[in-house]
Amino acid sequence: MKYSEPAPAKLNLALHVRGKLPDGRHSLETIFAFCIDGDRLEAEKADELNLSISGPFAEGLSTTDNLVLDAAKALKQAAGVDAGASLYLTKKLPVASGIGGGSADAAAALRLLTGLWGIDPRHAVDVAPAIGSDVPACLLSLSAKGTEAGDKLELVQDPSISGTPALLVNPLVPLSTGAVFAAWDGIDRGPLGDWRRGRNDLEAAALTLAPDIGHVLDWLGTQPGAGFIRMSGSGATCFALFDSEAERDAAAATCPSNWWHLATFLR
């Protein structure tokens, strides 16, 4: 019997970089939102842990050095489980694209294996931060404010988020999160208030490494009904929130063919 779990795409509606934490990580204030679409992970019982990957963005991904397996091993050790699993990842989201693909996949593994192995969900919560700063938010997969390194979470009760039509666009330029943070100018531009009046402090750094991001943002800005436009995470994926599904779909239909896009809704 196979268990199945979605790994929803993550968006940063705002991302303020406030400096450095004592442990050397960057201090962040961000609003996470999640889409109804993303990757998908399946699992079935097995003697050992193993991973196979298929889908449009499977090429080049390791089946032995992967956050999905890191999550599975961490959960297995924390819960004292003497079991394995065969894991099957369908990779639909671009790699290194600022929408939490790897973190979402790891979080899906934690949720999936908690059920498959019949263990206390608190183990998943405990191990998530060590796998990656976005993994706790992806484990929750609900709108939330993230502080510290983005891994201290507070639910956001904003009815304007859920159900909003969204268009994600990526120029198919992979970006290293570490490289983008290294290019950040180090200026604290102030705290995060309302996400609609916020910003993404990594956008300027990402643009220096991938100028095509500017073309995506400019194109989104010309689309009727696109009321909110921003780069997500460290890029290169950008997104627009639309006033209506029809306007979103009209924009998606005209998206340049050499870019990846996803027409979806926020959860």
Side-chain angles (χ1 to χ4, degrees):
M1 177 181 174
K2 277 188 182 179
Y3 288 63
S4 182
E5 186 72 24
K10 173 265 313 177
L11 297 179
N12 297 92
L13 300 184
L15 176 56
H16 293 199
V17 187
R18 304 299 312 280
K20 287 286 191 75
L21 296 169
D23 62 7
R25 297 181 299 169
H26 286 86
S27 174
L28 306 178
E29 295 177 2
T30 186
I31 300 295
F32 293 106
F34 290 85
C35 302
I36 63 170
D37 298 290
D39 296 337
R40 178 159 291 275
L41 188 67
E42 297 177 298
E44 58 186 350
K45 292 183 178 179
D47 293 334
E48 304 292 334
L49 279 174
N50 59 80
L51 172 66
S52 60
I53 307 174
S54 61
F57 291 99
E59 186 176 354
L61 291 181
S62 173
T63 57
T64 56
D65 181 15
N66 192 288
L67 283 181
V68 168
L69 287 178
D70 292 346
K73 292 171 183 176
L75 184 63
K76 181 175 179 176
Q77 181 176 4
V81 171
D82 186 21
S86 291
L87 297 157
Y88 308 91
L89 175 62
T90 304
K91 193 67 185 166
K92 300 178 181 179
L93 301 177
V95 178
S97 60
I99 50 177
S103 296
D105 298 341
L110 294 176
R111 292 192 300 270
L112 197 58
L113 295 175
T114 292
L116 184 73
W117 291 336
I119 60 178
D120 191 328
R122 286 179 293 185
H123 290 302
V125 175
D126 290 343
V127 303
I131 301 166
S133 296
D134 282 351
V135 176
C138 292
L139 184 63
L140 188 64
S141 284
L142 296 171
S143 299
K145 180 177 182 179
T147 54
E148 297 188 359
D151 52 0
K152 183 179 180 181
L153 302 173
E154 177 185 347
L155 283 175
V156 170
Q157 305 293 338
D158 187 340
S160 71
I161 295 177
S162 181
T164 299
L167 179 64
L168 282 57
V169 181
N170 186 291
L172 294 177
V173 177
L175 268 182
S176 160
T177 298
V180 174
F181 270 103
W184 172 58
D185 61 14
I187 298 173
D188 180 358
R189 291 175 170 82
L192 173 62
D194 177 78
W195 59 269
R196 290 187 177 274
R197 293 191 295 270
R199 59 186 188 270
N200 185 335
D201 285 338
L202 296 178
E203 184 179 304
L207 279 165
T208 65
L209 300 172
D212 283 349
I213 291 172
H215 303 316
V216 174
L217 290 169
D218 289 344
W219 179 82
L220 286 171
T222 67
Q223 303 308 303
F228 182 89
I229 298 163
R230 192 153 287 166
M231 186 186 83
S232 181
S234 57
T237 302
C238 303
F239 65 93
L241 305 183
F242 282 80
D243 297 331
S244 71
E245 181 180 355
E247 288 170 316
R248 179 207 63 192
D249 291 346
T254 63
C255 186
S257 59
N258 58 326
W259 295 349
W260 172 87
H261 72 276
L262 173 65
T264 185
F265 294 93
L266 299 187
R267 301 182 73 176

